[in-house]
Amino acid sequence: RLQMASLGGGIGSRLLGVCSDSVTKTMLTTQRRENFIPGTVLVVGAAPTFRGLARSAFQRDGHDVVLAATGEDGCRVFGERVPDLVVVDLGLPVVDGYEACERFRTRGNGARIPVLMLTGSDDADAISRAYEAGATDLQTKPVNWQVLRERVR
C-alpha cells in the first residue's frame, strides 16, 4: 500500500523532513523505498495538463492511475474502484475539492484513504477548510512532481 513518506504506519504518519540529521533522513528514505509497494492513485483535476502530468509522475513509480476531470466523476470513480490514495485539486467546478473530499470520507473505507489536496492558494482559511473537509495533507501549486512522488512513497 502507498505510504506518504512514512515507515510502515498509515499514510502521512511521518512527513519527509521531520528528521534533522541527514544520515537519518537517508536511512528513512532508503527504508521507505525498500518497503514501497505501488498502489492505485485517483487523480481528480479539471485541467487536462494537470491530469497528464500527474499520470506520468505516478506511473513512473508503478502506480495504477485513474483520472477524473470533475468532482462528481471523482466521487463516482471512488465508489466503483476504491483507490489507495486520492489527489484532488481544490479548484474544481460544481463539486469542488472540499466537497469531493467530504464525499470520499463518507463512503465505505473512505475515512481510511489518504486524500492529498492541491491548491493554488496559501490562504490560511483555505488551508483550514481543506483539513476540516478531511484532507490528509495539502500541497500548494505549482506542483513539484518529484517532491510529491517522494511524499507518496
Side-chain angles (χ1 to χ4, degrees), residues 86-136:
V86 178
V87 177
V88 61
D89 188 349
L90 287 177
L92 296 169
V94 186
V95 175
D96 64 18
Y98 302 112
E99 185 176 343
C101 185
E102 290 170 350
R103 289 184 187 184
F104 298 148
R105 294 297 186 210
T106 63
R107 295 188 174 206
N109 290 335
R112 295 190 323 229
I113 310 268
V115 177
L116 172 65
M117 290 190 174
L118 302 174
T119 179
S121 172
D122 61 0
D123 174 60
D125 290 335
I127 293 168
S128 293
R129 187 169 172 214
Y131 287 112
E132 288 169 5
T136 306

Side-chain angles (χ1 to χ4, degrees), residues 10-32:
I11 217 164
S13 63
R14 185 181 319 186
L15 295 178
L16 191 61
V18 169
C19 300
S20 59
D21 178 58
S22 63
V23 173
T24 304
K25 284 182 188 177
T26 302
M27 289 171 56
L28 290 175
T29 301
T30 301
Q31 190 172 8
R32 273 199 350 263

Side-chain angles (χ1 to χ4, degrees), residues 23-100:
V23 173
T24 304
K25 284 182 188 177
T26 302
M27 289 171 56
L28 290 175
T29 301
T30 301
Q31 190 172 8
R32 273 199 350 263
R33 286 186 178 150
E34 289 172 359
N35 296 332
F36 175 74
I37 299 171
T40 301
V41 179
L42 170 58
V43 175
V44 186
T49 303
F50 166 76
R51 293 192 310 272
L53 289 170
R55 179 192 338 227
S56 295
F58 291 122
Q59 283 181 339
R60 197 171 308 143
D61 291 326
H63 299 294
D64 182 24
V65 180
V66 182
L67 303 175
T70 68
E72 287 184 2
D73 286 343
C75 291
R76 181 185 50 76
V77 170
F78 188 95
E80 295 170 358
R81 185 174 178 187
V82 179
D84 297 299
L85 170 68
V86 178
V87 177
V88 61
D89 188 349
L90 287 177
L92 296 169
V94 186
V95 175
D96 64 18
Y98 302 112
E99 185 176 343

